[in-house]
Amino acid sequence: MPTGSWNWTTAVCRAVPEMRSLTLSVVRKNRQMRWRVIGISLLMAWSVGMFTMGLYGAEVFDASVDAQVENTNFPDVFINLDRHVDQAALDAKLESMRENGTISAYQLRLVMQGHYWSEGERHPAYVIGLEDPSDISINRIISQEGSLEPGPGEAIAQQGMEDKGLVLGSDADLVLSGQNVSLSIVGIGSSTEFIMTGTVSMGGYTLPGGIAILFANLAEIQSLEHDGSPIGDQVNSLAFLSDDPEAAMGELSVFFASLPEVPGADVIPQDNHPSVTFMRAGADEFRYIMPVMSVLFLTVGAIAILMVFQRMVQNDSRFIGVLMSMGYTNREIMLGYLGFGLVIGTAASILGAVLGVLITIGLLDIFAQFFGAMEFVLPVVFYPFIMGAVIAYTFVLLAMLLPLYQLRKLTPREALEYHKDNRIFVTGRRIGRTKLSVMGFRNAFRIPRQTLATMIAIGLAIGVAGSWLVLADSSLTYFEEQLGSGDWDVEVNFGTAISATAVNETYLGLPAGSTEEIVPFRAFQTSVVSGDRTANAFVTAGIGLEKVRDFSIESGTVDLSGALIAVTLAKDLGIGVGDEITISVLGTQMTLQVTGIVQDIMETAVYTELGNLPDSDTVNGAFIKLGEDLTAGDAREDLYENGNIVTIVLAGESWKAIEEMVDEAMELYYAFFFLNGIIAFIVAAATVTIIAAEREMEYATMRSLGVKRREMARPIIMEMFILAVGAVIIGLPASFIFADFLIGIYQEVVMYFPIAYTMFSIVFTIVLGLFFTMAAAIVPIRHAERIDVERIIRERTSG
Amino acid sequence: MSLVELRKVNKGYSSGGEFTSVLSDLVLDADKGEMLIIMGPSGSGKTTLMNILGGIDRPDSGSVMIDGEDISGYDPVRLTDFRRRKVGFIFQFYNLIPTLTAKENVELSLETVEDDRETISRRASHYLRLVGLEDKMDNFPQELSGGQQQRVAIARALAKEPRIILADEPTGNLDGAREESIMELMKNIQNELGITFFIVTHNTKLRKYADRVMQLGGGVIVENGG
């Protein structure tokens, strides 16, 4: 047994007897540089992990959404009407359509909105009457607890409101259309329609948080009164499954148009249903944003590899010369050094694949909180991992190209004669009072190319970190602007559509003279067509909408005689100001010219005058601007007395809820910022470690001259400060460039918001960029303090 | 016919726009199994001569005939092949690969000319035994003394069984006793294997081992004798 020579590489060598000595020498060199190799491998593995997680997470989401839709027979189309229609007539129509094969299954519903009392707090409630809540042929409710067959006075609660008291065996005290109703909870279920627990789409607006969703027997809900009259055998919502939803919609439109009072409707195809779009948005976010982020990380990792590898090849010059003198060709030596990249690429691929799966599973736990009882499926797919490995090796090889090219051009004589750091650039400037400070300043520029490369590597890392800050700040600025654009105090939605002229203080139940403006509107969700493109849109048609809303015009003018459409919708339809859009309204269509493109938090919003609708006198809601004598809270109490008002939204509360959501998103962005800041620190530490290692002899000389340990820090801090300033100068514009790039993808995939150049982002990026980089100075300082002066002087001066 | 024949070899370098001649019309012959010691002051062209003999550098003009091959016109690829087959190098600072054991260092050299692992292993062991390091084969360079490291370097140069061995200050980093030991070893190998040695040194004490001593000065041989 050789003394002190056994190690894992020797073991590998013995296990793989064909391993050539040249490759073995490089593999062992990796071992000597293990901390640097481990650091870079981890950075690359993290990047590959994010890349893999992006692709694999998207596959998980897609597979899970498909499975969820299939397993629950999720309807192809939902239609929510703003009037009650006769159940028997609609049932007969749908039954005939089922018999002739236009649809394969359908569900009739009566939806009542109101509020639910829990521990003295009022929460919105959404009660859905179904003929058979346990029906599995369409829109299946998956039982979580108890029964799916409620009797009289009983209901099933959607999973997710347990913390608001809606548990099995409890009584839900509700106010629906002004009536007090108590329903016993006999079952807890999960409906895909409301899979985002606590979040539900109502009247085109997504109201976050704390909504009670209950399923009861249709007859139970029909026995209630609405606006003072018994409801009877009427419904206001339906859903169906069909192989040809467009044909089915066409047939139903004719039916609705034939009714004495044509109802307005939200027509929501499966792909546009909030549950599905939210779930698919999750998939797209994974698929596009994570790989893009990972590419930024990979670039930083590649720069670190380039720097380490270049120094490694330069430091090994003499040994390369020896190999050449033995008759090794440049190509053979290059292949030997590729072992370095092979180790990092392989470690990054394997670790990255494991990390990708682990991060995906970890994130799914978080997403499960949003998606309630959705069962996530982990599909067996290999391409994300193969792609991860390919991208890892590609970036590693790209990083090694320059040093390998230099190696290829090297002649044996040049290699044998190489003298490290003989040629350095010395600036004549003197910064600082002491020689130690002067040394620190000059050291920063002694090898300008290396200094620049270090600044670029750290600067890019700062740029990546800062981009998340800019992203967070931009979205926050946008949301604040948007939330401040509403000039109304209260929004009400009616259970049954009424005449616009009837909407006044008296009808609403508000004291005379208590309002400044009442702007009735009709809001509905439908499809909008322009040319050969179709998109689902939220249409709001009102009388004087501009009085209660400041539109942020991106192009065109605020002219509601035509249509104002949101930026994202304009992009989806590929249109601009002056183009025409056709809006489908049940039984008819209307064409409007686009007069303005607006920035809007509701990304597919269309605003127009009520007069443009075929039924220009009917509305299903109103914006109310209160006078000084009535508070929004008091107004709400008055409004609750109106039996036709089913939802009341106070501007402040609505904003607060949205701000809470935005704040949660911000926390994620800030977490990314700090995570990337730490990576910037690692990159800075990795690159300055190389510098520290190269200056061992100088540090030893300084110590031998009597410089104290703590004084050794001074030139290093000076040098690091210069590097930090340079890195921040590069990092700051990089952060905006990267953010612009990320925001572009966000606009395509998730939501629209413009980039904001705020002082906060600039100052914070500068301060934290300096902090993370300067913190890395601890590495060379510790190195300089700990060196064995005697050993280094002896080794470097002998011979 | 001599194993090594240099005819009118010229070599110079340009630096800062100025051309400096290092070797001028140099003529040199060496027979198989001869040990030549090359001496001379710094800048006399010793290293350049060794580089040309070893195929590391090419002359500006003249012919370099080694073992029947004129390598003066060889391109880098053929020079590499030439070094692989016919030349062994021994350096002043040993230049062992620190991440390989003694035996692996020798095998590293053998892998350029031999594919069979068993043959490589056997030959590496043989030459390490020849230099007296049979008990140090699995030690890394840092675990060996300076003299032992130079013995590994000699074994590494010998293992390929080259026609010539070029040694640049092979004892320059050793004390007196180890210097003697290394030179004795090389002399024995020269006699046993018939390998031609070119040894560059400043150390006049080594003259006694030489079959011939050449003194270089100003790019030409100013003394050529025993």
Side-chain angles (χ1 to χ4, degrees), chain A residues 2-5 17-18 20-22 24-25 28 318-319 322-328 332 413 799, chain B residues 13 56-57 80 83-84 89 91 93 95-96 99-100 104 108 111-112 117 138-140 143 156 160 173:
Chain A
T3 53
S5 63
E18 294 304 314
R20 286 172 66 96
S21 303
L22 179 57
L24 183 65
S25 72
R28 286 200 181 135
R318 179 167 285 276
F319 295 110
V322 171
L323 291 171
M324 287 174 166
S325 74
M326 285 182 198
Y328 277 96
E332 285 170 322
R413 187 167 62 83
Chain B
Y13 298 103
I56 281 177
D57 222 341
T80 301
R83 289 196 301 272
R84 188 180 278 227
F89 285 89
F91 301 94
F93 294 109
N95 284 347
L96 299 180
T99 50
L100 296 179
E104 286 164 352
L108 177 71
E111 282 170 2
T112 61
R117 297 294 312 173
D138 291 325
N139 284 62
F140 284 92
E143 296 162 354
R156 186 173 68 181
K160 286 194 301 184
N173 209 30

Side-chain angles (χ1 to χ4, degrees), chain A residues 580-617:
Chain A
E580 288 187 337
I581 54 172
T582 301
I583 299 172
S584 298
V585 185
L586 279 186
T588 185
Q589 292 184 324
M590 60 175 183
T591 299
L592 295 172
Q593 190 179 48
V594 175
T595 51
I597 309 289
V598 295
Q599 293 177 354
D600 200 288
I601 204 164
M602 202 182 297
E603 302 218 290
T604 55
V606 175
Y607 299 97
T608 188
E609 278 178 2
L610 186 64
N612 288 328
L613 295 189
D615 183 2
S616 61
D617 187 43

